[in-house]
Each structure stands twice: as structure tokens, then as C-alpha cells.
């Protein structure tokens, strides 16, 4: 209950602030968080591996700090989510590649979107939702039902629906109904489903859930990424469907198709490293 009340008070505080001031406060909070050192080494390790630089390199430190500030702004965006109209969201997020969703849904087996923790991924799904598509995102289930409802209602205000990791079997029903499910592929939130793959020249534990859902259901597998292109604006790209290999055993199919997916993830992470907000260690040392 205390966590829920904290979120509600923070939401009210941010909603009452004009957007420029909300970003100033969010950036200041992010700088303080960065100064505490919380998860900073995880972020720096991610950056150092992508850029092939020493973890103590000044550029790695600068980018890590920028990631925290961008994350703080994303939190402010999320807390203001209910008071940002659908039309305003469309103005804030320039969407490219919507035709790839339309074409994918023509097959009648749903779409699995894969992405990474780049940019304001909550807004990316919501931007699709305001176009009238039924889109579901996979999230961790919190112990507090009130807190879960807080996040659910915030997303739902823009047509973005929630599936929890303890109810993943529901995904196949949504795909059968020709709906859209969005799943990140750069971190295994369950801690049980990661497999080892080459990622930026290192071994990393990456989940294969999105791929396995598409293979099992026949759904179209589509990449989607978002990043900031201005102070208050974002650019979002829905890519062309991945042409999946369908012949072979289960493990063989996972290996062959992840080799198609991983270069797409690497491309967007490399191009938008200042927004790769992954506060976890995925690397296998």
C-alpha cells in the first residue's frame, strides 16, 4: 500500500509541474541516482562492451550519466501519461512503418513485436495503441495489487494492455485473436528463460520468448524501436517482419532465428547507446 501511495503522490506532483520543470526535476533526480552508484557498473559494462572501451573510460562515464538522465525523463513522461492526450502523443512520437503491422495482421495469426530497453518503450507501445490496435506488453507481476493496477490503468489510458510474466499462457489466446504482443529480447525478467548467445562479441544470456511465441503460433515477428529525436519528441520505427526459418528441431530453430534477430538488436543499441536503459547484468563472464 505504501508503494502504491508513493507512486500516486509522485504522479500528482509530476502532473502539476509544467513539462519543462518536470524534466528539470526528473534530470536532477536521475543525477542523484547516478551519484549513488546504484546499478551504474551494470550500465557502464553494457556501454564498454558495445563500444569496445575500458569500463573506466571517460566516454563510458559520460554516456552512462546520459542514460540515467534519459531514463529520468522517461519516468516523467510515464507519470504524465494520463494527462497527455492521444493526439498529443501522436505529435510527440513520429511513427514510421505502421504498414508493417497492417500487412502482418492480414495473415490472421497476430504479431509478436520484439524490442530492447531503448528509449521510452512504454510510449512506443502506447503509440501503437492509439492507432486502434490491440497491443499487449509483458511485465513483471508486483506483490502489491494496487501498484499493479496503477501501472495497468496508466497504460490503458492509451490502449496499451498488460500481461504479467506469471500468466504468459494468455499470450497465445491474444495471438489467436489476431492481436499484438510486445516482448523485450535484451533481458530475461523471469530469470529462467535466458540462453547463451554471441552479443556484441561477448556471451550474453538473452531470452527467446518472443521468438518461441512466433514459431509456436505462426505469428509474424516484427522489430520495433523508439528513441528521442528532440527535447520532447521521439522517433519510432516498426521494421519489416523477420523471415523465420521453419525447418529443423526446436533448439536448431532458436539458434538459426536468433542469428537473424540479434544483428537487428545490435544495430539499434549501437546507434542509440545513450538510451539503452538496461540496469541489469546480462553478460556471461
Amino acid at each position: 500500500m505504501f508503494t502504491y501511495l508513493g507512486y500516486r503522490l509522485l504522479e500528482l506532483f509530476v502532473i502539476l509541474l509544467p513539462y519543462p520543470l518536470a524534466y528539470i526535476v526528473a534530470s536532477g533526480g536521475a543525477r542523484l541516482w547516478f551519484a549513488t552508484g546504484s546499478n551504474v557498473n551494470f550500465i557502464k559494462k553494457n556501454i564498454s562492451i558495445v563500444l569496445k572501451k575500458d569500463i573506466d573510460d571517460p566516454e563510458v562515464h559520460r554516456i552512462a550519466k546520459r542514460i540515467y538522465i534519459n531514463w529520468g525523463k522517461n519516468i516523467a513522461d510515464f507519470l504524465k501519461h494520463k494527462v497527455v492526450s492521444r493526439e498529443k502523443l501522436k505529435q510527440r512520437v513520429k511513427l514510421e512503418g505502421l504498414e508493417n503491422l497492417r500487412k502482418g495482421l492480414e495473415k490472421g495469426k497476430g504479431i509478436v513485436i520484439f524490442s530492447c530497453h531503448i528509449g521510452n518503450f512504454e510510449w512506443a507501445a502506447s503509440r501503437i495503441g492509439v492507432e486502434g490496435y490491440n497491443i499487449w506488453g509483458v511485465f513483471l507481476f508486483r506483490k502489491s495489487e494496487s501498484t499493479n493496477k496503477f501501472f495497468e490503468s496508466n497504460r490503458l489510458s492509451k490502449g496499451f494492455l498488460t500481461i504479467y510474466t506469471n500468466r504468459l499462457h494468455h499470450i497465445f489466446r491474444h495471438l489467436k485473436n489476431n492481436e499484438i504482443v510486445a516482448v523485450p529480447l535484451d533481458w530475461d525478467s523471469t530469470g529462467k528463460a535466458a540462453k547463451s548467445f554471441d552479443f556484441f562479441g561477448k556471451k550474453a544470456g538473452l531470452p527467446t520468448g518472443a521468438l518461441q511465441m512466433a514459431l509456436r503460433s505462426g505469428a509474424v515477428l516484427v522489430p520495433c524501436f523508439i528513441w528521442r529525436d528532440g527535447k520532447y519528441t521521439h522517433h519510432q520505427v516498426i521494421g519489416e517482419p523477420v523471415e523465420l526459418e521453419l525447418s529443423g528441431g526446436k533448439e536448431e530453430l532458436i539458434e538459426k532465428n536468433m542469428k537473424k534477430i540479434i544483428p537487428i538488436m545490435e544495430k539499434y543499441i549501437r546507434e542509440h547507446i545513450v538510451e539503452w536503459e538496461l540496469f541489469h547484468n546480462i553478460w556471461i563472464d
Side-chain angles (χ1 to χ4, degrees):
M1 179 58 73
F2 289 112
T3 302
Y4 166 72
L5 291 174
Y7 278 123
R8 289 305 302 268
L9 288 171
L10 187 58
E11 179 188 50
L12 178 61
F13 173 69
V14 172
I15 285 174
L16 290 174
L17 292 177
Y19 234 114
L21 188 53
Y23 269 12
I24 290 172
V25 172
S27 298
R31 285 184 170 92
L32 287 174
W33 183 24
F34 180 77
T36 68
S38 178
N39 297 105
V40 170
N41 282 338
F42 293 155
I43 291 290
K44 285 186 173 182
K45 187 173 184 179
N46 294 341
I47 299 165
S48 68
I49 289 172
V50 173
L51 299 184
K52 299 189 183 331
K53 291 180 177 289
D54 188 89
I55 197 168
D56 295 318
D57 189 287
E59 186 180 1
V60 172
H61 181 87
R62 179 186 63 79
I63 292 172
K65 190 173 184 179
R66 190 75 237 168
I67 288 172
Y68 274 70
I69 292 170
N70 283 329
W71 180 239
K73 291 178 178 179
N74 289 342
I75 292 173
D77 286 338
F78 182 77
L79 293 171
K80 276 187 172 289
H81 198 52
K82 288 180 182 177
V83 297
V84 175
S85 70
R86 292 183 174 223
E87 286 307 312
K88 179 61 73 173
L89 184 64
K90 288 182 180 182
Q91 294 170 18
R92 290 276 176 89
V93 183
K94 179 183 177 183
L95 181 57
E96 177 185 343
L98 194 60
E99 67 277 5
N100 290 319
L101 290 188
R102 288 195 292 264
K103 291 177 183 177
L105 291 173
E106 287 174 1
K107 297 187 177 182
K109 294 187 176 182
I111 288 177
V112 176
I113 285 177
F114 72 90
S115 191
C116 298
H117 289 77
I118 297 174
N120 196 332
F121 42 87
E122 292 266 5
W123 270 28
S126 295
R127 181 63 181 83
I128 292 170
V130 299
E131 292 291 335
Y133 293 95
N134 288 330
I135 178 166
W136 300 79
V138 176
F139 295 93
L140 283 171
F141 182 78
R142 294 173 171 83
K143 292 181 179 180
S144 167
E145 187 64 29
S146 298
T147 302
N148 286 329
K149 292 295 182 184
F150 169 80
F151 282 92
E152 287 174 31
S153 64
N154 203 318
R155 297 175 187 125
L156 193 57
S157 68
K158 302 299 181 293
F160 181 25
L161 301 146
T162 302
I163 300 175
Y164 292 110
T165 51
N166 60 340
R167 300 171 186 168
L168 291 180
H169 58 282
H170 291 169
I171 285 175
F172 294 99
R173 185 182 70 212
H174 299 308
L175 294 175
K176 188 176 180 180
N177 291 337
N178 204 28
E179 296 174 349
I180 302 168
V181 176
V183 188
L185 273 184
D186 56 346
W187 176 54
D188 171 27
S189 60
T190 68
K192 301 174 183 177
K195 292 181 180 292
S196 177
F197 296 98
D198 289 326
F199 196 45
F200 292 106
K202 292 270 291 181
K203 290 294 182 183
L206 301 176
T208 61
L211 171 59
Q212 293 195 60
M213 290 169 196
L215 289 171
R216 182 175 163 185
S217 65
V220 176
L221 185 65
V222 173
C224 180
F225 295 89
I226 187 172
W227 59 89
R228 289 184 181 273
D229 67 351
K231 189 172 183 180
Y232 302 109
T233 57
H234 310 256
H235 191 99
Q236 180 176 350
V237 171
I238 301 169
E240 295 185 358
V242 177
E243 292 188 17
L244 296 176
E245 299 285 344
L246 301 175
S247 59
K250 179 180 176 181
E251 294 304 319
E252 182 185 0
L253 286 177
I254 289 173
E255 287 291 331
K256 289 195 294 187
N257 287 303
M258 284 298 286
K259 286 180 180 178
K260 293 186 173 188
I261 292 168
I262 286 173
I264 299 171
M265 296 166 59
E266 290 176 332
K267 173 185 182 295
Y268 284 99
I269 289 171
R270 191 177 286 113
E271 291 176 356
H272 306 286
I273 185 66
V274 295
E275 297 193 58
W276 192 26
E277 297 143 0
L278 185 66
F279 299 94
H280 305 278
N281 182 23
I282 62 172
W283 308 102
I284 301 170
D285 296 319

